[in-house]
């Protein structure tokens, strides 16, 4: 069947009714649930937990994605479940990471921007209802969040391009600066996230080791 792509205002059969006791996609996900700066800001703001604490508690870890060091949720070695899963429920449901809140929608990036697609076989719930993509994502304003996800995707690809031509020393400096600016330096929870994010991206772009 041909893959369908959805825009923010489209209806899609993604609403699995609060997952109704299922937590299948919170287990055995390896290092695939990458965390972005908005996830860190939200967890810090609403859960009072910094990136350093997530690492210390073993809830998150760093992984290498195409040469770039990025943080991801870590599955527990004993149960294979995410460290935020308690008694079958996500303990940070209202501010869970973007990849989790999108599921069973995936993100598709192309030259025209970003669209969403349904990971039909990845979610076993067969009684899903139709819902507007923007409502399913549950972040307001949805357009601003959508723009950020796209900007973050593009920024990571700019970094990959810079890493491609970098020698070992520069590669190390870029990775360290990337992690420090976007993850380890706490965000100001009382301030707008987007202004902080775009400010940090501008600073890294203007740094000596990025060019
Ligand atoms: S953060 Fe929540 S929704 Fe995401 S994998 Fe962990 S328990 Fe599941
Ligand atoms: S597999 Fe579907 S129903 Fe189960 S937790 Fe994931 S999104 Fe929810």
């Amino acid at each position: 069947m041909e893959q369908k792509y959805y825009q923010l205002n489209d209806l899609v059969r993604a609403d699995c009714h609060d997952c109704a006791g299922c937590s299948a996609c919170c287990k055995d996900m390896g290092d695939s649930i990458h965390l972005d700066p908005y996830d860190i800001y939200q967890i810090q703001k609403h859960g009072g937990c910094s990136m350093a604490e997530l690492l210390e508690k073993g809830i998150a870890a760093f992984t290498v994605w195409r040469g770039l060091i990025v943080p991801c949720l870590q599955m527990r070695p004993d149960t294979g479940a995410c460290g935020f899963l308690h008694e079958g429920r996500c303990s940070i449901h209202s501010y869970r990471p973007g990849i989790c809140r999108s599921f069973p929608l995936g993100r598709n990036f192309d030259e025209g921007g970003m669209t969403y697609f349904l990971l039909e076989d990845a979610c076993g719930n067969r009684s899903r209802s139709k819902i507007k993509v923007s409502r399913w994502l549950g972040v307001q304003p949805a357009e601003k969040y959508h723009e950020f996800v796209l900007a973050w995707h593009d920024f990571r690809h700019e970094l990959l391009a810079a890493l491609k031509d970098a020698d070992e020393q520069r590669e190390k400096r870029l990775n360290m600066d990337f992690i420090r600016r976007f993850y380890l330096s706490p965000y100001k929870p009382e301030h707008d996230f987007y202004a902080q994010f775009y400010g940090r991206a501008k600073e890294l772009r203007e740094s000596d080791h990025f060019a």
Side-chain angles (χ1 to χ4, degrees):
M1 204 166 61
E2 201 183 328
Q3 183 72 63
K4 277 184 77 174
Y5 296 99
Y6 301 88
Q7 311 275 354
L8 276 181
N9 285 324
D10 290 336
L11 286 171
V12 58
R13 201 169 290 284
D15 186 354
C16 40
H17 307 288
D18 217 12
C19 300
C22 174
S23 54
C25 58
C26 302
K27 292 174 191 150
D28 303 322
M29 298 304 281
D31 61 359
S32 64
I33 307 180
H34 291 185
L35 300 171
D36 68 29
Y38 185 76
D39 299 332
I40 300 303
Y41 172 84
Q42 290 287 95
I43 293 171
Q44 189 196 313
K45 180 172 177 166
H46 301 289
C49 199
S50 66
M51 182 75 231
E53 286 165 318
L54 292 178
L55 293 168
E56 205 180 289
K57 290 177 181 171
I59 291 175
F62 284 116
T63 189
V64 179
W65 173 77
R66 301 192 195 175
L68 188 63
I69 299 174
V70 292
C72 62
L73 289 179
Q74 180 157 253
M75 302 296 119
R76 290 174 48 149
D78 51 346
T79 60
C82 168
F84 281 126
L85 190 70
H86 293 305
E87 297 177 359
R89 301 292 299 164
C90 176
S91 57
I92 58 163
H93 185 76
S94 61
Y95 51 93
R96 66 200 182 286
I99 290 182
C100 305
R101 65 173 53 253
S102 308
F103 204 83
L105 293 182
R107 297 162 178 166
N108 170 60
F109 299 93
D110 58 30
E111 282 174 16
M114 179 171 83
T115 50
Y116 302 85
F117 61 96
L118 188 60
L119 291 152
E120 191 69 61
D121 297 328
C123 172
N125 187 328
R126 293 286 164 241
S127 52
R128 293 187 306 263
S129 316
K130 284 195 173 182
I131 188 167
K132 232 184 200 191
V133 170
S134 56
R135 189 152 169 238
W136 181 245
L137 298 179
V139 180
Q140 291 301 328
E143 291 76 12
K144 214 165 177 182
Y145 177 64
H146 177 96
E147 265 170 38
F148 154 72
V149 174
L150 184 55
W152 180 238
H153 168 269
D154 292 348
F155 187 76
R156 292 209 309 177
H157 280 78
E158 276 179 56
L159 270 171
L160 290 182
L163 283 173
K164 213 169 140 203
D165 304 323
D167 60 22
E168 206 177 310
Q169 280 304 313
R170 186 170 159 232
E171 187 182 320
K172 201 170 162 188
R173 281 204 311 273
L174 255 177
N175 262 308
M176 294 308 292
D177 203 6
F178 171 69
I179 291 166
R180 181 181 62 79
R181 281 181 203 268
F182 291 107
Y183 294 103
L184 294 176
S185 302
Y187 292 89
K188 291 186 178 132
E190 69 282 12
H191 290 192
D192 176 56
F193 164 74
Y194 299 107
Q196 295 182 72
F197 165 70
Y198 289 110
R200 289 177 189 209
K202 183 171 182 284
E203 282 168 16
L204 184 52
R205 265 199 197 96
E206 288 171 0
S207 69
D208 292 345
H209 40 266
F210 192 91

